[in-house]
Amino acid sequence: MNRLLAALPEADWARWQPFFQPIALPLGHVLYESGEQITHAVFPTTAIVSLMYVSENGASTGIAVVGNDGVVGVPLFMGGGSTPSRAVVQSAGHGWRVPAQALREEFARGGAAMRLLLRYTLAKIAQMAQIAVCNRHHSVDQQLCRWLLLNLDRLPGLELVVTQELIAHMLGVRREGVTEAALALQKAGLIAYRRGHVTVLDRSGLAARACECHAVILAEYERLLPAP
């Protein structure tokens, strides 16, 4: 279940539920492109969606991740119908889709949904700010640890289905840098990597090796949002 939807009072969810449709979110599926009008919000349950900025020369970097902790489509209830970022599924799974108008109407009621969505937006802003700091000041090794931990926070297990090329796009670094960092983590006994799969063997060790950015992001989510 999605944490935001699960935290709604039963009466609110009963009123809003008829507008929701289950949706499959396959790997690489694009929910919206930069500048595109967003027609639906998506509340992931088992999938992870990456918000990415793609520059004019085609280079990309991930600016936020959304999983069962949140919603893809914040601009819809914050007064805008589009965003400069691109939303793409980086870990396949499922979620719930709701039309933009139904989301806006529920938000305008000013009840529990509005409060949850605003608090989630604060947490997401904190995540985006901390990722920007991490990308500027920390090593690729530390960025990879942070990225792995953020994903694990939103998955039920310890295995990620992801290629080094995709990780490089998410971090906005060269693939060679990701390869070197992944080999170092594997040599340290923290992860096991085989074609397209990363298994975390020592999560606490990974957290100890990471910079402070993951801990800062996690603390804000725990402070602002209901416990899973």
Side-chain angles (χ1 to χ4, degrees), residues 22-29 42-49 89-96 155:
I23 180 175
L25 298 169
L27 180 66
H29 176 65
V42 172
F43 291 78
T45 53
T46 57
I48 296 179
V49 177
V89 178
Q90 71 169 50
S91 180
H94 295 83
W96 293 95
L155 290 172

Side-chain angles (χ1 to χ4, degrees), residues 21 46 148 155 157 164:
Q21 294 179 323
T46 57
L148 290 170
L155 290 172
Q164 290 189 7

Side-chain angles (χ1 to χ4, degrees), residues 137-150:
H137 293 290
H138 297 141
S139 67
V140 175
D141 185 300
Q142 291 173 313
Q143 291 180 50
L144 178 58
C145 290
R146 180 259 301 163
W147 186 86
L148 290 170
L149 290 166
L150 283 178

Side-chain angles (χ1 to χ4, degrees), residues 19-105:
F19 298 100
F20 280 76
Q21 294 179 323
I23 180 175
L25 298 169
L27 180 66
H29 176 65
V30 176
L31 295 176
Y32 59 75
E33 291 284 2
S34 170
E36 220 173 58
Q37 285 296 309
I38 304 173
T39 60
H40 292 77
V42 172
F43 291 78
T45 53
T46 57
I48 296 179
V49 177
S50 180
L51 305 185
M52 305 182 68
Y53 182 80
V54 182
S55 63
E56 290 184 354
N57 65 4
S60 63
T61 185
I63 57 176
V65 293
V66 182
N68 58 11
D69 59 313
V71 56
V72 181
V74 167
L76 292 175
F77 57 84
M78 293 299 289
S82 64
T83 174
S85 63
R86 180 181 192 238
V88 59
V89 178
Q90 71 169 50
S91 180
H94 295 83
W96 293 95
R97 184 175 76 165
V98 62
Q101 187 59 30
L103 179 69
R104 292 192 184 104
E105 289 177 358

